[in-house]
Amino acid sequence: MKKVVTFGELMLRLAPEGYLRFVQSDKYQATFGGAEANVAVSLANYGVDAAFVSKLPTHEIGQSAVNSLRKFGVDTSKIVRGGERVGIYYCEKGASQRPSKVIYDRAYSSIAMAKKEDFDWSSILEGVEWFHFTGITPALGDNVAEICVEALKEAKKRGITVSCDLNFRKKLWSKEKAGQVMGELCKYVDYCIANEEDAKDVFGIEADNTDIYGGKLDREGYISVAKKLTEKFGFKGVAITLRESKSANDNDWSGMLYTDGEAHFSKKYSMHIVDRVGGGDSFGGGLIYSLLNGYSAQGAIEFAVAASCLKHSIEGDYNMVSVAEVQNLAGGDASGRVQR
């Protein structure tokens, strides 16, 4: 069985019920999530040997976070235990023209305070075929960025395929710092994943004739972005998610995979959103799974976009769907009819 390792932060997610605002709510639902952990859950649900690497406290909340991954079959044996706190994020779901909102309370979390010696990458990456991280992880601090470098060097030494979702978070670091740090890390990356804004925010590479707020996308502009990223870093592939926002609840969703000098666009889905958080991570999980299993470039982008489309219908960070469900949607069954 092919083995994948993802590295990042697993957080406690606290969310008001339904569409209540923070200031309205007197109770919060507690779940767990985080970009790379979300990818690991997707892959485990697809039958991949997926391991998540992080650092979490030994107390009960830290253990609950670990348990949230174990129940989906994610290998948690490489998670380092220690430190004092699990990072938290508060998530208020948007509706209609009111956008969703996220508030972070993750300073001084166990992974944010981690040291290079906490992780034995030679052991962690033994027998691994694919390593995945996102731009969120090095944004946690210079120490974590250094840990990422150590992991990537070991991955490249072993010939492991590396993917990275740029995932720029302005609440964690500046565009200038992101560009500097990610510019170094991307030298080790084979497959780069981005959305409409990431390439511009991190590397100043912008799609022409595109208005992400007005819902207008231009295919040629994104091909140009992918070409420029490939020329800059020598990526084997650049995958870009294409979101056309009509409101917080209704988006059109598609994607592009640029590889070997050709751009492959998926079909487009009109989504009514239940929970947007984790949508990009489910795309990443779908892309990794399909490429690991020898899908064509067109097949890979169709699988990744369909997987992500389904995630938008599921509460919480984790995408709890099977390969068969994704293949069914990618194959053209988008009716949503009851299956009996």
Side-chain angles (χ1 to χ4, degrees):
M1 185 185 294
K2 296 178 174 63
K3 186 171 184 179
V4 178
V5 166
T6 73
F7 173 57
E9 180 169 25
L10 180 58
M11 292 183 291
L12 174 65
R13 168 177 167 167
L14 297 177
E17 293 180 322
Y19 292 95
L20 291 178
R21 305 214 69 184
F22 290 134
V23 294
Q24 288 179 287
S25 186
D26 57 3
K27 61 180 70 172
Y28 288 78
Q29 182 182 19
T31 56
F32 293 92
E36 297 87 355
N38 299 343
V39 171
V41 170
S42 281
L43 291 169
N45 283 331
Y46 299 150
V48 175
D49 182 358
F52 175 66
V53 179
S54 189
K55 186 173 184 179
L56 287 164
T58 57
H59 56 51
E60 290 85 350
I61 305 303
Q63 188 60 45
S64 294
V66 172
N67 292 347
S68 77
L69 298 176
R70 283 180 174 171
K71 71 178 181 180
F72 293 109
V74 175
D75 178 0
T76 61
S77 64
K78 305 300 184 183
I79 294 177
V80 176
R81 305 304 294 271
E84 298 185 1
R85 72 180 302 243
V86 177
I88 299 171
Y89 85 93
Y90 299 86
C91 182
E92 176 187 282
K93 288 207 299 184
S96 190
Q97 278 65 48
R98 174 172 60 83
S100 297
K101 180 177 290 186
V102 168
I103 297 175
Y104 290 132
D105 178 18
R106 63 199 299 179
Y108 307 109
S109 67
S110 291
I111 184 63
M113 303 302 291
K115 300 176 181 178
K116 285 194 291 186
E117 51 266 32
D118 286 332
F119 301 94
D120 179 2
W121 290 109
S122 177
S123 173
I124 292 169
L125 296 177
E126 181 69 34
V128 171
E129 292 191 41
W130 198 293
F131 178 78
H132 178 76
F133 74 108
T134 80
I136 297 172
T137 302
L140 299 175
D142 291 343
N143 55 317
V144 190
E146 291 174 3
I147 295 170
C148 286
V149 171
E150 294 293 311
L152 293 172
K153 286 181 177 178
E154 184 65 30
K156 286 292 100 177
K157 185 191 303 183
R158 293 175 175 271
I160 295 169
T161 300
V162 174
S163 58
C164 174
D165 189 332
L166 293 181
N167 260 353
F168 175 70
R169 296 292 184 267
K170 64 183 179 182
K171 292 185 178 181
L172 295 180
W173 58 358
S174 68
K175 294 177 182 179
E176 292 74 22
K177 184 64 178 286
Q180 176 188 351
V181 174
M182 295 306 296
E184 290 300 312
L185 296 179
C186 280
K187 295 176 181 178
Y188 300 92
V189 171
D190 298 295
Y191 289 92
C192 177
I193 301 168
N195 66 19
E196 308 97 308
E197 301 166 83
D198 289 335
K200 176 184 176 182
D201 288 337
V202 178
F203 296 123
I205 299 173
E206 184 175 5
D208 296 329
N209 302 318
T210 293
D211 177 7
I212 63 171
Y213 301 107
K216 177 188 174 186
L217 301 179
D218 181 82
R219 286 191 171 198
E220 292 302 318
Y222 286 103
I223 295 173
S224 175
V225 167
K227 283 182 178 178
K228 290 175 182 177
L229 285 170
T230 300
E231 290 167 1
K232 185 176 180 67
F233 295 106
F235 296 134
K236 291 180 181 178
V238 175
I240 298 179
T241 56
L242 305 175
R243 184 186 298 274
E244 297 168 80
S245 294
K246 300 175 182 178
S247 71
N249 299 102
D250 296 287
N251 291 179
D252 285 347
W253 184 245
S254 59
M256 180 195 77
L257 175 60
Y258 181 85
T259 183
D260 294 326
E262 291 187 40
H264 303 267
F265 287 86
S266 75
K267 62 173 64 71
K268 184 185 295 186
Y269 299 95
S270 292
M271 305 184 302
H272 186 72
I273 298 171
V274 171
D275 193 334
R276 175 174 168 168
V277 177
D281 306 322
S282 58
F283 175 86
L287 186 71
I288 293 168
Y289 172 82
S290 54
L291 292 173
L292 268 176
N293 285 278
Y295 284 41
S296 67
Q298 188 64 44
I301 192 62
E302 295 290 1
F303 188 93
V305 170
S308 185
C309 178
L310 289 172
K311 165 61 193 77
H312 285 76
S313 73
I314 297 171
E315 294 274 6
D317 274 55
Y318 299 154
N319 193 20
M320 293 170 277
V321 297
S322 67
V323 170
E325 288 174 313
V326 178
Q327 290 176 335
N328 193 47
L329 177 58
D333 185 357
S335 66
R337 292 175 64 87
V338 176
Q339 296 181 358
R340 303 182 193 275

